Amino acid sequence: MHMKEIKSNLKVIISGGGTGGHIFPAISIANAVKAKCPDAEILFVGAEGRMEMQRVPAAGYEIKGLPICGFNRAQLWKNITLPYKMWKSDRMVKRIIREFGPQVAVGVGGYASYPTLAAAAKLNIPCLIQEQNSFAGKTNKMLGKSASRICVAYEGMERFFPAEKILMTGNPVRQALLETTITREEAVRSFGLDPERKTILLVGGSLGARTINESVLQHLDLVRQSDVQFIWQTGKYYSAQIAEQLSQLGKPENLKVTDFISDMGAAYKAADLVISRAGASSISEFCLIGKPVILVPSPNVAEDHQTKNAMALVNKEAALYVKDADAPQSLLPLAVATVTDASKLKSLSENVLKMALPNSADIIADEVIRLATQTKK
């Protein structure tokens, strides 16, 4: 079968999810494949009840859900159904693969990617895995042995994977962030703030915001007295409680509070400095747009990989870092001191830009198509 013939009938299965950090890259890869092969059929496989089951259809792709879940360390009795769910997921995914007939399988990490790629590998379907973090997740480490290609975003990943399979691609990011045409002045005004003043953006993710929120609440006087303004995304989960606290303590006029920012492109453009968790997708975004950042790694993630992500930047003087436990006391004072230090902002921006790996989704899509069209030995 000729390469053109397969390209026109290209069928790709993409699996994984659980968090935005897995889903954004997966959708970016799918979009890049479709841009190169408009006739390609792409099927996603996710975990029932996880956010990919909404996000993927919203992006225009079909998704099948598996009844897979992770090991529950907090409530051990809940793991009693785990072997059955794994067995059922295994059977379902074999049927999905047989019926869909993919030429290549892509895994981005998360619960569903293990049964999907393990089943694909057994059927001699070439597999590509994309590891977003500087410390490989358990799923991807197990899949690395049978994968044909492993796309990574950090140096030194041969600690986890066979060196000859590794391709340094970087992490695909949300395209809208890179394509925003708004000026900084327009962006600042869109939040009802003053373009003449330095602006700090605080984002903690949906559930990872608690420590960052606490850091603001403990330093409202510092916020009030500073000549800096703040855009504070609290997360929906905490917004009512924070609104109540601010009504008691008094909200400083230079503090813009919102539970969710839909246009992150405008928020990043408005910010002179960002305070963020250290998820791999967020870090890739900061590198590509050259944004000075203070990272507060979440301690509630597997193998503390957010700290390892953060240190990859900190060691190259491309970001500042505050430990989660120290943040309530020291994060806001450090942020105010940093945002008013022009030379520090300039060097952080220059150094983080050097770590950017552009066109990640395109490079990965080329690999996906290559694997699908290579002659099987």
Side-chain angles (χ1 to χ4, degrees):
M1 199 179 267
H2 296 298
M3 184 166 173
K4 272 190 177 152
E5 203 178 328
I6 295 186
K7 272 183 87 164
S8 65
N9 301 322
L10 184 65
K11 288 188 170 190
V12 183
I13 213 159
I14 301 180
S15 187
T19 65
H22 291 314
I23 297 163
F24 295 138
I27 291 170
S28 296
I29 294 166
N31 291 344
V33 169
K34 285 291 265 189
K36 291 168 189 291
C37 304
D39 298 335
E41 289 181 56
I42 298 174
L43 178 66
F44 279 75
V45 177
E48 284 172 1
R50 305 291 290 187
M51 65 194 281
E52 59 265 27
M53 300 308 292
Q54 281 77 47
R55 293 284 176 87
V56 169
Y61 296 101
E62 186 188 348
I63 186 165
K64 306 269 189 191
L66 304 179
I68 190 84
C69 59
F71 186 79
N72 192 321
R73 287 179 178 80
Q75 295 166 297
L76 293 174
W77 59 272
K78 285 196 172 174
N79 297 308
I80 198 161
T81 59
L82 203 55
Y84 171 72
K85 285 179 174 173
M86 288 174 78
W87 174 82
K88 193 176 175 194
S89 296
D90 201 38
R91 296 222 11 192
M92 283 173 71
V93 84
K94 280 176 185 158
R95 191 173 71 245
I96 290 166
I97 290 171
R98 267 200 313 272
E99 288 172 0
F100 181 63
Q103 287 121 340
V104 60
V106 178
V108 293
Y111 302 139
S113 66
Y114 183 76
T116 307
L117 269 77
K122 277 184 192 150
L123 294 165
N124 290 322
I125 295 163
C127 296
L128 176 146
I129 56 178
Q130 200 254 325
E131 175 53 64
Q132 291 107 28
N133 293 292
S134 63
F135 193 90
K138 279 197 181 77
T139 296
N140 278 350
K141 276 195 278 190
M142 290 189 287
L143 292 169
K145 297 177 183 71
S146 55
S148 304
R149 184 55 103 191
I150 299 148
C151 296
V152 302
Y154 290 90
E155 293 163 1
M157 298 304 283
E158 52 281 349
R159 287 175 298 158
F160 309 107
F161 302 117
E164 70 280 3
K165 294 182 178 181
I166 294 173
L167 182 66
M168 185 81 155
T169 61
N171 286 325
V173 301
R174 292 174 282 187
Q175 214 49 38
L177 295 181
L178 307 178
E179 289 167 357
T180 185
T181 54
I182 194 171
T183 65
R184 180 190 174 273
E185 184 174 338
E186 289 166 341
V188 174
R189 287 196 194 283
S190 74
F191 288 94
L193 297 171
D194 177 2
E196 298 298 312
R197 295 170 82 173
K198 290 288 185 187
T199 305
I200 296 173
L201 169 68
L202 301 110
V203 279
S206 51
L207 294 172
R210 191 173 59 85
T211 300
I212 291 175
N213 291 345
E214 201 51 48
S215 307
V216 180
L217 290 167
Q218 289 196 24
H219 288 94
L220 287 174
D221 284 341
L222 173 64
V223 169
R224 205 175 271 112
Q225 288 155 19
S226 75
D227 194 32
V228 176
Q229 55 198 2
F230 300 79
I231 302 167
W232 178 20
Q233 180 183 281
T234 63
K236 284 194 163 80
Y237 183 79
Y238 302 100
S239 61
Q241 173 195 343
I242 284 169
E244 193 181 316
Q245 284 176 276
L246 287 174
S247 69
Q248 289 168 10
L249 301 165
K251 184 182 89 63
E253 55 80 29
N254 55 337
L255 182 64
K256 161 77 179 173
V257 187
T258 178
D259 63 342
F260 178 72
I261 298 169
S262 55
D263 187 352
M264 281 307 294
Y268 283 156
K269 185 69 84 164
D272 298 286
L273 175 70
V274 179
I275 292 170
S276 170
R277 289 305 199 182
S281 285
S282 300
I283 285 181
S284 296
E285 290 167 357
F286 302 138
C287 293
L288 283 163
I289 59 177
K291 193 56 61 174
V293 61
I294 301 176
L295 297 166
V296 186
S298 170
N300 312 313
V301 293
E303 288 135 339
D304 197 26
H305 68 241
Q306 285 205 2
T307 298
K308 297 176 177 88
N309 291 348
M311 294 318 292
L313 270 68
V314 172
N315 292 337
K316 297 197 173 179
E317 298 186 346
L320 300 177
Y321 150 77
V322 173
K323 253 176 91 166
D324 187 82
D326 300 338
Q329 188 177 353
S330 60
L331 178 60
L332 261 286
L334 174 66
V336 170
T338 305
V339 82
T340 51
D341 182 342
S343 66
K344 186 71 183 168
L345 289 182
K346 186 168 182 285
S347 74
L348 284 171
S349 180
E350 286 170 357
N351 291 342
V352 82
L353 267 173
K354 287 176 196 161
M355 298 191 72
L357 292 163
N359 311 319
S360 301
D362 263 354
I363 298 164
I364 296 167
D366 284 338
E367 280 300 299
V368 170
I369 294 163
R370 188 185 67 76
L371 288 176
T373 55
Q374 71 186 6
T375 311
K376 288 198 175 71
K377 291 188 173 65

